[in-house]
Coordinates of all heavy atoms in Angstrom, one line a residue:
M1 N -20.5 -53.4 32.7 CA -20.1 -54.2 31.6 C -19.1 -55.3 32.1 O -18.6 -55.2 33.2 CB -19.6 -53.4 30.4 CG -18.4 -52.5 30.7 SD -17.9 -51.5 29.3 CE -19.4 -51.1 28.4
A2 N -18.9 -56.2 31.3 CA -18.0 -57.3 31.6 C -16.6 -56.8 31.8 O -16.2 -55.8 31.3 CB -18.0 -58.4 30.5
D3 N -15.8 -57.5 32.6 CA -14.4 -57.1 33.0 C -13.4 -57.8 32.1 O -12.2 -57.6 32.3 CB -14.1 -57.4 34.5 CG -12.8 -56.8 34.9 OD1 -12.4 -55.7 34.4 OD2 -12.2 -57.3 35.8
T4 N -13.8 -58.6 31.2 CA -12.9 -59.4 30.3 C -13.0 -59.0 28.9 O -14.1 -59.0 28.3 CB -13.2 -60.9 30.5 OG1 -13.1 -61.3 31.8 CG2 -12.2 -61.7 29.7
C5 N -11.9 -58.6 28.3 CA -11.9 -58.2 26.9 C -12.1 -59.4 26.0 O -11.5 -60.5 26.2 CB -10.5 -57.6 26.5 SG -10.4 -57.1 24.8
P6 N -13.0 -59.4 25.0 CA -13.3 -60.5 24.2 C -12.2 -60.8 23.2 O -12.2 -61.9 22.6 CB -14.6 -60.1 23.5 CG -14.6 -58.6 23.5 CD -13.9 -58.2 24.7
H7 N -11.2 -59.9 23.1 CA -10.1 -60.2 22.1 C -9.1 -61.2 22.7 O -8.9 -62.2 22.1 CB -9.4 -58.8 21.8 CG -8.2 -59.0 21.0 ND1 -7.0 -58.5 21.4 CD2 -8.0 -59.5 19.7 CE1 -6.1 -58.8 20.4 NE2 -6.7 -59.4 19.4
Q8 N -8.5 -60.9 23.8 CA -7.6 -61.8 24.4 C -7.7 -61.9 26.0 O -6.7 -62.1 26.6 CB -6.1 -61.5 24.0 CG -5.9 -61.8 22.5 CD -4.4 -61.7 22.2 OE1 -3.6 -61.1 22.9 NE2 -4.1 -62.2 21.0
A9 N -8.9 -61.6 26.5 CA -9.2 -61.8 27.9 C -8.4 -60.9 28.9 O -8.2 -61.2 30.0 CB -9.0 -63.2 28.3
A10 N -8.0 -59.7 28.4 CA -7.4 -58.7 29.3 C -8.4 -58.3 30.4 O -9.6 -58.3 30.1 CB -6.9 -57.5 28.6
Q11 N -7.9 -57.9 31.5 CA -8.8 -57.4 32.6 C -9.1 -55.9 32.3 O -8.3 -55.0 32.5 CB -8.1 -57.5 34.0 CG -9.0 -57.2 35.1 CD -8.4 -57.5 36.5 OE1 -7.2 -58.1 36.5 NE2 -9.0 -57.1 37.5
L12 N -10.4 -55.6 31.9 CA -10.7 -54.3 31.5 C -10.7 -53.3 32.6 O -10.6 -52.1 32.4 CB -12.1 -54.3 30.7 CG -12.0 -55.1 29.4 CD1 -13.4 -55.2 28.8 CD2 -11.1 -54.4 28.4
S13 N -10.9 -53.7 33.8 CA -10.9 -52.8 34.9 C -9.5 -52.1 35.1 O -9.4 -51.1 35.8 CB -11.3 -53.5 36.2 OG -10.5 -54.6 36.5
L14 N -8.5 -52.7 34.4 CA -7.2 -52.1 34.4 C -7.0 -51.1 33.3 O -5.9 -50.4 33.2 CB -6.1 -53.1 34.4 CG -6.1 -54.1 35.5 CD1 -5.0 -55.2 35.2 CD2 -5.8 -53.4 36.8
G15 N -8.0 -50.9 32.4 CA -8.0 -50.0 31.3 C -8.3 -48.6 31.7 O -8.4 -48.3 32.9
S16 N -8.7 -47.8 30.8 CA -9.0 -46.4 31.1 C -10.3 -46.0 30.3 O -10.6 -46.6 29.3 CB -7.9 -45.4 30.7 OG -7.6 -45.5 29.3
V17 N -10.9 -45.0 30.8 CA -12.1 -44.4 30.2 C -11.8 -43.1 29.6 O -11.2 -42.2 30.3 CB -13.3 -44.3 31.2 CG1 -14.5 -43.6 30.5 CG2 -13.7 -45.6 31.7
E18 N -12.1 -42.9 28.3 CA -11.8 -41.6 27.6 C -13.0 -41.2 26.8 O -13.9 -42.0 26.5 CB -10.6 -41.8 26.7 CG -9.3 -42.1 27.4 CD -8.1 -42.2 26.5 OE1 -8.3 -41.8 25.3 OE2 -7.0 -42.6 27.0
R19 N -13.1 -39.9 26.4 CA -14.1 -39.4 25.5 C -14.0 -40.1 24.2 O -12.9 -40.4 23.7 CB -14.1 -37.9 25.4 CG -14.3 -37.2 26.7 CD -15.8 -37.2 27.0 NE -16.0 -36.5 28.2 CZ -16.9 -36.9 29.1 NH1 -17.6 -37.9 29.0 NH2 -17.0 -36.2 30.2
M20 N -15.1 -40.4 23.5 CA -15.1 -41.0 22.2 C -14.7 -40.0 21.1 O -15.2 -38.8 21.1 CB -16.5 -41.6 21.9 CG -16.5 -42.3 20.6 SD -18.2 -42.8 20.2 CE -18.5 -44.1 21.4
W21 N -13.8 -40.4 20.2 CA -13.4 -39.5 19.1 C -14.4 -39.9 17.9 O -14.7 -41.0 17.7 CB -12.0 -39.8 18.6 CG -10.9 -39.3 19.5 CD1 -10.3 -39.9 20.6 CD2 -10.4 -38.0 19.5 NE1 -9.4 -39.1 21.2 CE2 -9.4 -37.9 20.5 CE3 -10.6 -36.9 18.7 CZ2 -8.7 -36.7 20.8 CZ3 -9.9 -35.7 19.0 CH2 -8.9 -35.7 20.0
V22 N -14.8 -38.9 17.2 CA -15.7 -39.1 16.0 C -15.2 -38.2 14.9 O -14.5 -37.2 15.2 CB -17.2 -38.8 16.4 CG1 -17.7 -39.8 17.4 CG2 -17.4 -37.4 16.8
S23 N -15.6 -38.5 13.7 CA -15.3 -37.7 12.5 C -16.5 -37.4 11.8 O -17.3 -38.4 11.4 CB -14.3 -38.5 11.7 OG -14.0 -37.8 10.5
D24 N -16.8 -36.2 11.5 CA -17.9 -35.8 10.7 C -17.5 -35.6 9.2 O -18.4 -35.7 8.3 CB -18.5 -34.5 11.2 CG -19.0 -34.6 12.7 OD1 -19.5 -35.7 13.0 OD2 -18.9 -33.7 13.4
T25 N -16.3 -35.3 9.0 CA -15.8 -35.1 7.6 C -14.4 -35.7 7.5 O -13.7 -35.8 8.5 CB -15.7 -33.6 7.3 OG1 -14.8 -32.9 8.2 CG2 -17.1 -32.9 7.3
L26 N -14.0 -36.0 6.4 CA -12.7 -36.6 6.1 C -11.6 -35.6 6.6 O -11.6 -34.5 6.3 CB -12.5 -36.8 4.6 CG -11.2 -37.5 4.2 CD1 -11.1 -38.9 4.8 CD2 -11.1 -37.6 2.7
G27 N -10.7 -36.2 7.5 CA -9.6 -35.4 8.0 C -9.9 -34.6 9.2 O -9.0 -33.9 9.7
A28 N -11.1 -34.6 9.7 CA -11.5 -33.8 10.9 C -12.1 -34.7 11.9 O -12.9 -35.5 11.6 CB -12.4 -32.7 10.5
H29 N -11.7 -34.5 13.1 CA -12.2 -35.3 14.2 C -12.3 -34.5 15.5 O -11.5 -33.5 15.6 CB -11.5 -36.6 14.4 CG -10.0 -36.4 14.7 ND1 -9.1 -36.2 13.8 CD2 -9.4 -36.4 15.9 CE1 -7.9 -36.0 14.3 NE2 -8.0 -36.2 15.6
H30 N -13.1 -34.9 16.4 CA -13.3 -34.2 17.7 C -13.8 -35.2 18.7 O -14.3 -36.3 18.4 CB -14.2 -33.0 17.6 CG -15.6 -33.4 17.2 ND1 -16.0 -33.6 15.9 CD2 -16.7 -33.5 17.9 CE1 -17.3 -33.9 15.9 NE2 -17.7 -33.9 17.1
R31 N -13.6 -34.9 20.0 CA -14.1 -35.7 21.1 C -15.5 -35.3 21.4 O -15.9 -34.2 21.5 CB -13.3 -35.5 22.3 CG -11.9 -36.2 22.2 CD -11.2 -36.0 23.5 NE -9.8 -36.4 23.4 CZ -9.2 -37.3 24.2 NH1 -9.9 -37.8 25.1 NH2 -8.0 -37.6 23.9
L32 N -16.4 -36.3 21.7 CA -17.7 -36.1 22.1 C -17.8 -35.9 23.6 O -17.2 -36.7 24.3 CB -18.6 -37.3 21.7 CG -19.0 -37.5 20.2 CD1 -19.8 -38.7 20.1 CD2 -19.7 -36.2 19.7
E33 N -18.4 -34.9 24.1 CA -18.6 -34.7 25.5 C -19.6 -35.7 26.1 O -19.5 -36.0 27.3 CB -18.9 -33.3 25.8 CG -17.9 -32.3 25.5 CD -16.6 -32.5 26.3 OE1 -16.7 -32.8 27.5 OE2 -15.5 -32.4 25.7
S34 N -20.5 -36.2 25.3 CA -21.6 -37.0 25.8 C -21.3 -38.5 25.7 O -22.1 -39.3 26.2 CB -22.9 -36.7 25.1 OG -22.7 -36.9 23.7
R35 N -20.2 -38.9 25.1 CA -20.0 -40.4 24.9 C -18.6 -40.7 25.3 O -17.7 -40.0 25.0 CB -20.2 -40.8 23.4 CG -21.5 -40.5 22.8 CD -22.6 -41.6 23.1 NE -22.3 -42.9 22.6 CZ -22.6 -43.4 21.4 NH1 -23.2 -42.6 20.5 NH2 -22.4 -44.6 21.1
S36 N -18.4 -41.9 25.9 CA -17.1 -42.3 26.3 C -16.9 -43.8 25.9 O -17.8 -44.5 25.6 CB -17.0 -42.2 27.8 OG -17.1 -40.9 28.2
V37 N -15.6 -44.2 25.9 CA -15.2 -45.5 25.6 C -14.3 -46.1 26.7 O -13.6 -45.3 27.3 CB -14.5 -45.6 24.2 CG1 -15.4 -45.3 23.1 CG2 -13.2 -44.8 24.2
L38 N -14.3 -47.4 26.8 CA -13.4 -48.1 27.7 C -12.3 -48.6 26.9 O -12.5 -49.3 25.9 CB -14.1 -49.2 28.5 CG -13.3 -50.1 29.3 CD1 -12.6 -49.4 30.4 CD2 -14.2 -51.3 29.8
L39 N -11.0 -48.3 27.2 CA -9.9 -48.8 26.4 C -9.3 -50.0 27.1 O -8.9 -50.0 28.3 CB -8.8 -47.7 26.3 CG -9.2 -46.4 25.6 CD1 -8.1 -45.4 25.6 CD2 -9.5 -46.8 24.1
C40 N -9.1 -51.1 26.3 CA -8.4 -52.3 26.8 C -7.0 -52.0 27.1 O -6.3 -51.3 26.3 CB -8.5 -53.4 25.8 SG -7.6 -54.9 26.2
P41 N -6.5 -52.4 28.3 CA -5.1 -52.1 28.7 C -4.0 -52.8 27.9 O -2.9 -52.4 27.8 CB -5.0 -52.5 30.1 CG -6.0 -53.6 30.3 CD -7.1 -53.2 29.3
W42 N -4.4 -53.9 27.2 CA -3.4 -54.7 26.4 C -3.2 -54.2 25.0 O -2.1 -54.0 24.5 CB -3.8 -56.1 26.4 CG -3.5 -56.9 27.7 CD1 -3.1 -56.4 28.8 CD2 -3.8 -58.3 27.9 NE1 -3.0 -57.3 29.8 CE2 -3.5 -58.5 29.3 CE3 -4.2 -59.3 27.1 CZ2 -3.6 -59.8 29.8 CZ3 -4.3 -60.5 27.7 CH2 -4.0 -60.8 29.0
H43 N -4.3 -54.0 24.3 CA -4.2 -53.7 22.8 C -4.9 -52.4 22.4 O -5.0 -52.1 21.2 CB -4.6 -54.8 22.0 CG -3.8 -56.1 22.2 ND1 -4.3 -57.2 22.8 CD2 -2.5 -56.4 21.8 CE1 -3.4 -58.1 22.9 NE2 -2.3 -57.6 22.3
G44 N -5.5 -51.7 23.4 CA -6.2 -50.5 23.1 C -7.5 -50.6 22.4 O -8.1 -49.7 21.8
F45 N -8.1 -51.8 22.4 CA -9.5 -52.0 21.8 C -10.4 -51.0 22.5 O -10.3 -50.8 23.7 CB -10.0 -53.4 22.0 CG -9.6 -54.4 20.9 CD1 -8.2 -54.7 20.7 CD2 -10.5 -54.9 20.1 CE1 -7.9 -55.5 19.7 CE2 -10.2 -55.8 19.1 CZ -8.8 -56.1 18.9
E46 N -11.4 -50.4 21.8 CA -12.3 -49.5 22.4 C -13.7 -50.1 22.5 O -14.1 -50.8 21.6 CB -12.4 -48.2 21.5 CG -11.1 -47.5 21.5 CD -11.3 -46.2 20.6 OE1 -12.4 -45.9 20.1 OE2 -10.3 -45.5 20.4
F47 N -14.4 -49.9 23.6 CA -15.7 -50.4 23.8 C -16.6 -49.2 24.3 O -16.3 -48.5 25.3 CB -15.7 -51.5 24.9 CG -14.9 -52.6 24.5 CD1 -13.6 -52.8 24.9 CD2 -15.4 -53.6 23.6 CE1 -12.8 -53.9 24.6 CE2 -14.7 -54.7 23.2 CZ -13.4 -54.8 23.7
D48 N -17.6 -48.9 23.5 CA -18.6 -47.9 23.8 C -19.3 -48.2 25.1 O -19.8 -49.2 25.3 CB -19.6 -47.8 22.6 CG -20.6 -46.7 22.7 OD1 -20.9 -46.2 23.9 OD2 -21.1 -46.3 21.7
L49 N -19.2 -47.2 26.0 CA -19.8 -47.4 27.4 C -21.3 -47.6 27.3 O -21.9 -48.1 28.2 CB -19.4 -46.3 28.3 CG -18.0 -46.3 28.8 CD1 -17.7 -45.2 29.8 CD2 -17.5 -47.6 29.4
E50 N -22.0 -47.1 26.3 CA -23.4 -47.2 26.2 C -23.9 -48.5 25.6 O -24.8 -49.1 26.0 CB -24.0 -46.0 25.3 CG -23.9 -44.7 25.9 CD -24.6 -43.6 25.1 OE1 -25.3 -44.0 24.1 OE2 -24.4 -42.4 25.4
T51 N -23.1 -49.0 24.6 CA -23.6 -50.2 23.9 C -22.7 -51.5 24.2 O -23.1 -52.6 23.9 CB -23.6 -50.0 22.4 OG1 -22.2 -49.8 22.0 CG2 -24.4 -48.8 22.0
G52 N -21.5 -51.3 24.6 CA -20.5 -52.4 24.8 C -19.8 -52.8 23.5 O -18.9 -53.6 23.5
G53 N -20.3 -52.2 22.4 CA -19.7 -52.5 21.1 C -18.4 -51.7 20.8 O -18.1 -50.7 21.5
D54 N -17.7 -52.2 19.8 CA -16.4 -51.5 19.4 C -16.8 -50.5 18.3 O -17.2 -50.8 17.2 CB -15.4 -52.5 18.8 CG -14.1 -51.9 18.5 OD1 -14.0 -50.7 18.2 OD2 -13.1 -52.7 18.4
P55 N -16.7 -49.2 18.6 CA -17.1 -48.2 17.6 C -16.2 -48.2 16.4 O -16.6 -47.7 15.3 CB -17.0 -46.8 18.4 CG -16.0 -47.1 19.5 CD -16.2 -48.6 19.9
C56 N -15.0 -48.7 16.5 CA -14.1 -48.8 15.3 C -14.4 -49.9 14.4 O -14.1 -49.9 13.2 CB -12.7 -48.9 15.8 SG -12.1 -47.4 16.7
V57 N -15.1 -51.0 14.9 CA -15.4 -52.2 14.2 C -16.9 -52.5 14.4 O -17.2 -53.5 15.1 CB -14.5 -53.4 14.6 CG1 -14.7 -54.5 13.6 CG2 -13.0 -53.0 14.6
P58 N -17.8 -51.7 13.9 CA -19.2 -52.0 14.2 C -19.7 -53.3 13.6 O -19.2 -53.7 12.6 CB -19.9 -50.7 13.6 CG -19.0 -50.2 12.6 CD -17.6 -50.6 13.0
G59 N -20.7 -53.8 14.2 CA -21.3 -55.0 13.7 C -20.6 -56.3 14.0 O -20.9 -57.4 13.3
R60 N -19.6 -56.3 14.9 CA -18.9 -57.5 15.3 C -19.3 -58.0 16.6 O -18.8 -57.6 17.7 CB -17.4 -57.2 15.3 CG -16.7 -56.9 14.0 CD -16.1 -58.2 13.3 NE -15.4 -59.1 14.1 CZ -14.1 -59.2 14.2 NH1 -13.3 -58.3 13.6 NH2 -13.5 -60.1 15.0
P61 N -20.3 -58.9 16.7 CA -20.8 -59.4 18.0 C -19.7 -60.1 18.8 O -19.8 -60.1 20.0 CB -21.9 -60.4 17.6 CG -21.7 -60.7 16.2 CD -21.0 -59.6 15.6
D62 N -18.7 -60.6 18.2 CA -17.6 -61.3 18.9 C -16.7 -60.2 19.7 O -15.9 -60.6 20.5 CB -16.7 -62.1 18.0 CG -16.1 -61.3 16.9 OD1 -16.8 -60.5 16.3 OD2 -15.0 -61.6 16.5
L63 N -16.9 -58.9 19.3 CA -16.1 -57.9 20.0 C -17.0 -57.0 20.8 O -16.6 -55.8 21.1 CB -15.3 -57.1 19.0 CG -14.2 -57.8 18.2 CD1 -13.6 -56.8 17.2 CD2 -13.2 -58.3 19.2
K64 N -18.1 -57.5 21.2 CA -19.1 -56.7 22.0 C -19.1 -57.2 23.5 O -19.2 -58.4 23.7 CB -20.5 -56.8 21.4 CG -21.4 -55.9 22.1 CD -22.8 -55.8 21.4 CE -23.7 -54.9 22.1 NZ -25.0 -54.8 21.4
L65 N -19.0 -56.3 24.4 CA -19.1 -56.6 25.8 C -20.5 -56.7 26.3 O -21.4 -55.9 25.8 CB -18.4 -55.5 26.7 CG -16.9 -55.3 26.4 CD1 -16.4 -54.2 27.3 CD2 -16.2 -56.6 26.8
K66 N -20.8 -57.6 27.2 CA -22.1 -57.6 27.8 C -22.3 -56.4 28.7 O -21.4 -56.1 29.5 CB -22.3 -58.9 28.6 CG -23.7 -59.0 29.2 CD -23.9 -60.4 29.8 CE -25.3 -60.4 30.4 NZ -25.7 -61.7 30.8
T67 N -23.4 -55.7 28.6 CA -23.6 -54.5 29.4 C -24.8 -54.8 30.3 O -25.6 -55.7 30.0 CB -23.9 -53.3 28.6 OG1 -25.0 -53.5 27.7 CG2 -22.7 -52.9 27.7
H68 N -24.8 -54.1 31.4 CA -25.9 -54.2 32.4 C -26.5 -52.9 32.7 O -25.8 -51.9 32.8 CB -25.4 -54.9 33.7 CG -24.7 -56.2 33.5 ND1 -25.4 -57.3 33.4 CD2 -23.4 -56.5 33.4 CE1 -24.6 -58.3 33.2 NE2 -23.4 -57.9 33.3
E69 N -27.8 -52.8 32.9 CA -28.5 -51.6 33.3 C -28.1 -51.2 34.7 O -27.9 -52.1 35.6 CB -30.0 -51.8 33.2 CG -30.8 -50.5 33.5 CD -32.3 -50.7 33.5 OE1 -32.7 -51.8 33.0 OE2 -33.0 -49.8 33.9
V70 N -27.9 -50.0 35.0 CA -27.5 -49.5 36.4 C -28.5 -48.4 36.7 O -29.1 -47.8 35.9 CB -26.1 -49.0 36.5 CG1 -25.1 -50.1 36.2 CG2 -25.8 -47.8 35.5
G71 N -28.6 -48.2 38.0 CA -29.5 -47.1 38.6 C -29.1 -46.8 40.0 O -28.1 -47.3 40.5
V72 N -29.8 -45.9 40.6 CA -29.6 -45.5 41.9 C -30.9 -45.6 42.7 O -32.0 -45.1 42.2 CB -29.2 -44.0 42.0 CG1 -29.0 -43.6 43.5 CG2 -27.9 -43.8 41.3
E73 N -30.9 -46.4 43.7 CA -32.1 -46.6 44.6 C -31.7 -46.3 46.0 O -30.8 -46.9 46.6 CB -32.6 -48.1 44.5 CG -33.1 -48.5 43.1 CD -33.5 -49.9 43.0 OE1 -33.6 -50.6 44.0 OE2 -33.8 -50.4 41.9
D74 N -32.5 -45.4 46.6 CA -32.2 -45.0 48.0 C -30.7 -44.6 48.2 O -30.1 -45.0 49.3 CB -32.6 -46.2 49.0 CG -34.1 -46.5 48.9 OD1 -34.9 -45.6 48.8 OD2 -34.4 -47.7 49.0
G75 N -30.2 -43.9 47.3 CA -28.8 -43.4 47.4 C -27.7 -44.5 47.2 O -26.5 -44.2 47.3
E76 N -28.1 -45.7 46.7 CA -27.2 -46.7 46.5 C -27.1 -47.0 45.0 O -28.1 -47.0 44.3 CB -27.6 -48.0 47.2 CG -27.6 -47.9 48.7 CD -26.3 -47.9 49.3 OE1 -25.3 -48.5 48.7 OE2 -26.1 -47.3 50.4
V77 N -25.9 -47.3 44.4 CA -25.8 -47.7 43.0 C -26.2 -49.2 42.9 O -25.7 -50.0 43.7 CB -24.3 -47.5 42.5 CG1 -24.2 -48.0 41.1 CG2 -24.0 -46.0 42.6
V78 N -27.1 -49.4 41.9 CA -27.6 -50.8 41.7 C -27.3 -51.3 40.3 O -27.4 -50.5 39.4 CB -29.1 -50.8 42.0 CG1 -29.7 -52.2 41.8 CG2 -29.5 -50.3 43.4
V79 N -26.8 -52.5 40.2 CA -26.6 -53.1 38.9 C -27.6 -54.2 38.7 O -27.7 -55.1 39.5 CB -25.1 -53.7 38.8 CG1 -24.9 -54.4 37.4 CG2 -24.1 -52.7 39.0
Y80 N -28.4 -54.1 37.6 CA -29.4 -55.1 37.4 C -28.9 -56.2 36.5 O -28.5 -55.9 35.3 CB -30.6 -54.4 36.7 CG -31.2 -53.2 37.5 CD1 -30.8 -51.9 37.2 CD2 -32.1 -53.5 38.5 CE1 -31.3 -50.9 38.0 CE2 -32.6 -52.4 39.3 CZ -32.2 -51.1 39.0 OH -32.7 -50.1 39.8
L81 N -28.8 -57.4 37.0 CA -28.3 -58.5 36.3 C -29.4 -59.3 35.6 O -30.5 -59.4 36.0 CB -27.5 -59.4 37.2 CG -26.3 -58.7 37.9 CD1 -25.6 -59.7 38.8 CD2 -25.3 -58.2 36.9

């Protein structure tokens, strides 16, 4: 995904990756083992690693990161641009 936060252009490679928090019922939340978010180092904006979108503010294309398909070919990680 892109290395620049769409909010105020922070360098996202300086951020951290954490498990995504979700809520199934009011007042209860848990971390998903299968989904992660990238946290912006400046303001804590979250970006879903699968979609590039902000799970806290869905439907905001201005807060979505461009994502790229990745794979492994002959033991090498490949990014398809």
Side-chain angles (χ1 to χ4, degrees):
M1 56 182 38
D3 189 31
T4 304
C5 180
H7 174 237
Q8 288 188 345
Q11 188 176 352
L12 292 174
S13 58
L14 299 175
S16 60
V17 175
E18 297 185 8
R19 296 284 180 217
M20 183 184 291
W21 286 94
V22 296
S23 176
D24 299 324
T25 60
L26 184 63
H29 58 278
H30 62 280
R31 288 183 189 234
L32 288 178
E33 291 301 317
S34 61
R35 301 279 297 274
S36 296
V37 292
L38 172 62
L39 296 176
C40 174
W42 286 3
H43 299 107
F45 273 64
E46 296 181 4
F47 299 96
D48 185 332
L49 289 182
E50 289 183 14
T51 67
D54 184 339
C56 298
V57 188
R60 291 271 314 262
D62 58 321
L63 294 179
K64 186 173 182 177
L65 297 177
K66 182 173 181 171
T67 58
H68 303 281
E69 183 181 349
V70 296
V72 178
E73 294 180 9
D74 298 322
E76 300 283 332
V77 176
V78 179
V79 178
Y80 302 99
L81 301 176

